[in-house]
């Protein structure tokens, strides 16, 4: 499981918790009258996931964990509050990216390696197998084919592009003020990276690397012609998925079984597809790609996958997706000193967004 940004400490009794009150950590400026508690013993099977609720990779890992029925502690790493750039998190992953999984004393900080780790280490009759055995060649190859195809979609480009160019979307769940806000945030984030580079000189290389990637993303994702091109490529991918779902209907015609992308068994390919469709609907692209009746198999799949317990638990009601991300950040900013480039404007924007979404959701659902 080794990789350039994976770390396996010899002693994981230290626990890199963020600015939360859990596990006995004391907030800055506070004093404790009681002696510090002894570190908790960590079971070799204990699972802890560092994630952010709106991170696409985090969502898929959480879906895998819940579909397999595993017990896992979740630690929220707020990307809007740039907690992924704090030194405590960078000790886990110098790439400053979520998710990161800790299993006993093993740290895995790559999305694909986390999936493989979970599938390899958690098996048995009571644990769902999401990747077929390699000796089941046709099914195994089909699952891997669609896993790679769907994971290869540039979801961050869709997300930023649809926020910056809302004219290409329909019924997006993102409020209109987010367009100006994300432009301001991206510019300020670049300045903050430079500031942190001076404050943490030992982390110079990863900070500068992140800054270059950020600026490249700003230029690329704000290019409307490029956005139209990748959305056209997305249509071809969804055509392929629609055709594959039609094959399953013909292959199992007359049989009483629930059909998924690769067969009657729910697999990792279905998690990737379900998470992808959920994100596209959130961005305001569902009417363009399947709700217009052009891809009925895709529409049927999306309706069924949303009813699964793991999807309801992890992704929740799509109309309150952004609200569930904004609310914790707003209150966490009150509890700790906010980053200088956010300050009161982010808090007010967050609270305003909460009010907007509460009104919008109630109006859409009950009026």
């Amino acid at each position: 499981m080794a990789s350039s940004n994976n770390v396996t400490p010899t002693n994981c009794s230290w626990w890199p918790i963020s600015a939360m009150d859990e596990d006995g950590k004391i907030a800055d400026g506070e004093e404790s009258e009681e002696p510090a508690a002894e570190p908790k013993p960590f079971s070799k099977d204990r699972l802890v996931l560092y994630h952010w609720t709106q991170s696409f990779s985090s969502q898929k890992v959480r879906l895998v964990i819940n579909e397999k029925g595993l017990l896992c502690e979740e630690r929220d790493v707020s990307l809007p509050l740039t907690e992924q750039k704090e030194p405590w998190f960078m000790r886990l992953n110098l790439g400053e990216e979520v998710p990161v999984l800790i299993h006993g004393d093993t740290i895995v900080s790559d999305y694909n390696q986390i999936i493989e780790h979970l599938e390899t280490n958690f098996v048995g009759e009571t644990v769902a197998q999401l990747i077929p055995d390699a000796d089941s060649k046709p099914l195994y190859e089909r699952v891997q084919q669609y896993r790679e195809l769907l994971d290869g979609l540039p979801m961050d480009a869709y997300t930023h592009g649809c926020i910056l160019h809302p004219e290409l979307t329909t019924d997006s769940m993102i409020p209109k003020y987010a367009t100006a806000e994300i432009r301001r945030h991206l510019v300020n984030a670049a300045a903050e990276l430079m500031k942190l580079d001076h404050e943490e000189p030992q982390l110079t290389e990863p900070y500068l690397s992140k800054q270059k990637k950020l600026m490249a993303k700003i230029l690329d994702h704000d290019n409307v012609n490029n956005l139209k091109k990748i959305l056209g490529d997305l249509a071809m991918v969804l055509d392929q998925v629609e055709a594959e779902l039609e094959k399953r209907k013909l292959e199992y015609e007359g049989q009483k079984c629930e059909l998924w992308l690769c067969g009657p068994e729910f697999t990792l390919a279905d998690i990737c597809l379900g998470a992808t469709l959920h994100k596209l609907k959130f961005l305001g692209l569902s009417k363009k790609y399947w709700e217009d009746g052009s891809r009925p198999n895709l529409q049927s799949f999306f309706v069924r996958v949303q009813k699964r317990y793991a999807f309801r638990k992890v992704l929740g009601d799509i109309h309150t997706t952004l609200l569930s991300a904004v609310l914790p950040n707003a209150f966490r900013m009150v509890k700790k000193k906010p980053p200088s480039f956010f300050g009161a404007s982010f808090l007010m924007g967050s609270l305003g967004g909460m009010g907007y979404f509460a009104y919008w959701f109630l109006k859409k659902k009950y009026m």
Side-chain angles (χ1 to χ4, degrees):
M1 292 287 178
S3 72
S4 59
N5 64 349
N6 282 8
V7 182
T8 305
T10 55
N11 182 358
C12 203
S13 61
W14 60 272
W15 209 246
I17 304 301
S18 65
M20 304 289 284
D21 291 335
E22 302 175 46
D23 287 9
K25 184 169 181 177
I26 302 172
D28 293 340
E30 295 183 6
E31 297 182 359
S32 173
E33 297 179 357
E34 298 182 4
E38 291 294 322
K40 292 181 181 179
F42 298 108
S43 166
K44 65 178 182 179
D45 292 324
R46 183 185 183 189
L47 280 178
V48 180
L49 181 71
Y50 288 81
H51 72 99
W52 185 53
T53 54
Q54 300 309 304
S55 157
F56 189 51
S57 295
S58 293
Q59 289 175 345
K60 288 184 285 187
V61 167
R62 293 175 67 213
L63 286 169
V64 167
I65 290 172
N66 282 275
E67 285 287 350
K68 293 181 76 68
L70 305 178
L71 293 176
C72 180
E73 299 176 35
E74 294 187 352
R75 307 287 187 182
D76 189 65
V77 180
S78 175
L79 302 193
L81 298 184
T82 65
E83 289 182 345
Q84 79 279 12
K85 297 180 177 65
E86 294 183 8
W88 67 265
F89 182 77
M90 292 187 70
R91 294 188 188 100
L92 290 176
N93 184 6
L94 286 177
E96 305 175 31
E97 296 178 351
V98 290
V100 173
L101 180 75
I102 299 181
H103 179 201
D105 60 359
T106 299
I107 301 176
V108 191
S109 57
D110 174 81
Y111 159 73
N112 284 306
Q113 290 186 16
I114 291 174
I115 300 296
E116 297 296 337
H117 183 88
L118 292 170
E119 276 292 288
T120 302
N121 289 274
F122 295 92
V123 296
E125 293 183 0
T126 60
V127 180
Q129 182 179 6
L130 298 173
I131 302 178
D133 294 329
D135 53 8
S136 304
K137 198 169 184 180
L139 181 58
Y140 172 80
E141 291 179 348
R142 189 181 299 155
V143 170
Q144 294 291 13
Q145 174 191 354
Y146 281 97
R147 171 192 180 182
E148 294 172 7
L149 179 67
L150 294 165
D151 280 347
L153 293 173
M155 192 58 69
D156 58 341
Y158 301 153
T159 302
H160 295 152
C162 288
I163 294 174
L164 294 169
H165 296 283
E167 69 276 7
L168 298 181
T169 68
T170 304
D171 292 341
S172 171
M173 307 292 172
I174 301 170
K176 294 180 180 179
Y177 72 79
T179 300
E181 184 68 15
I182 193 174
R183 291 187 187 279
R184 184 188 67 81
H185 166 62
L186 289 173
V187 172
N188 288 337
E192 184 70 9
L193 282 170
M194 184 63 71
K195 174 186 174 184
L196 292 176
D197 176 45
H198 293 295
E199 294 178 352
E200 299 285 346
Q202 71 275 23
L203 300 176
T204 296
E205 184 176 346
Y207 277 132
L208 291 179
S209 173
K210 195 71 176 181
Q211 181 185 1
K212 291 177 182 178
K213 289 180 181 178
L214 176 62
M215 297 312 297
K217 280 186 176 183
I218 294 174
L219 295 174
D220 191 39
H221 297 172
D222 197 21
N223 185 325
V224 67
N225 292 325
N226 182 62
L227 177 59
K228 290 179 179 178
K229 178 183 181 302
I230 61 175
L231 289 178
D233 295 338
L234 171 63
M236 291 189 287
V237 170
L238 296 181
D239 281 340
Q240 182 177 340
V241 172
E242 174 72 12
E244 192 68 43
L245 289 168
E246 183 65 24
K247 287 180 185 178
R248 297 290 84 75
K249 286 172 60 177
L250 298 175
E251 185 179 354
Y252 291 89
E253 188 174 8
Q255 299 185 36
K256 292 184 178 180
C257 59
E258 192 169 27
L259 294 179
W260 298 102
L261 180 56
C262 298
E265 298 295 328
F266 190 84
T267 70
L268 180 59
D270 299 297
I271 287 179
C272 295
L273 179 56
T276 296
L277 297 181
H278 182 274
K279 181 68 75 172
L280 294 178
K281 183 170 180 61
F282 174 73
L283 295 175
L285 296 173
S286 58
K287 282 185 167 55
K288 177 182 177 68
Y289 288 116
W290 69 85
E291 290 180 352
D292 61 351
S294 60
R295 298 178 179 89
N297 292 319
L298 212 57
Q299 169 70 7
S300 174
F301 176 94
F302 187 51
V303 170
R304 288 185 292 118
V305 81
Q306 288 183 100
K307 296 178 181 178
R308 294 183 70 88
Y309 172 76
F311 275 74
R312 288 187 283 111
K313 179 181 178 182
V314 172
L315 301 179
D317 190 311
I318 196 165
H319 298 102
T320 59
T321 298
L322 191 56
L323 181 61
S324 66
V326 168
L327 186 60
N329 288 323
F331 286 100
R332 284 167 71 175
M333 282 194 66
V334 176
K335 293 179 65 177
K336 70 174 187 175
K337 183 179 178 181
S340 59
F341 66 90
F342 270 115
S345 61
F346 176 82
L347 180 58
M348 294 305 295
S350 298
L351 295 174
M354 290 159 51
Y356 173 88
F357 270 91
Y359 168 77
W360 186 90
F361 175 65
L362 291 172
K363 180 179 179 181
K364 190 174 184 71
K365 196 162 188 176
Y366 300 111
M367 296 181 186

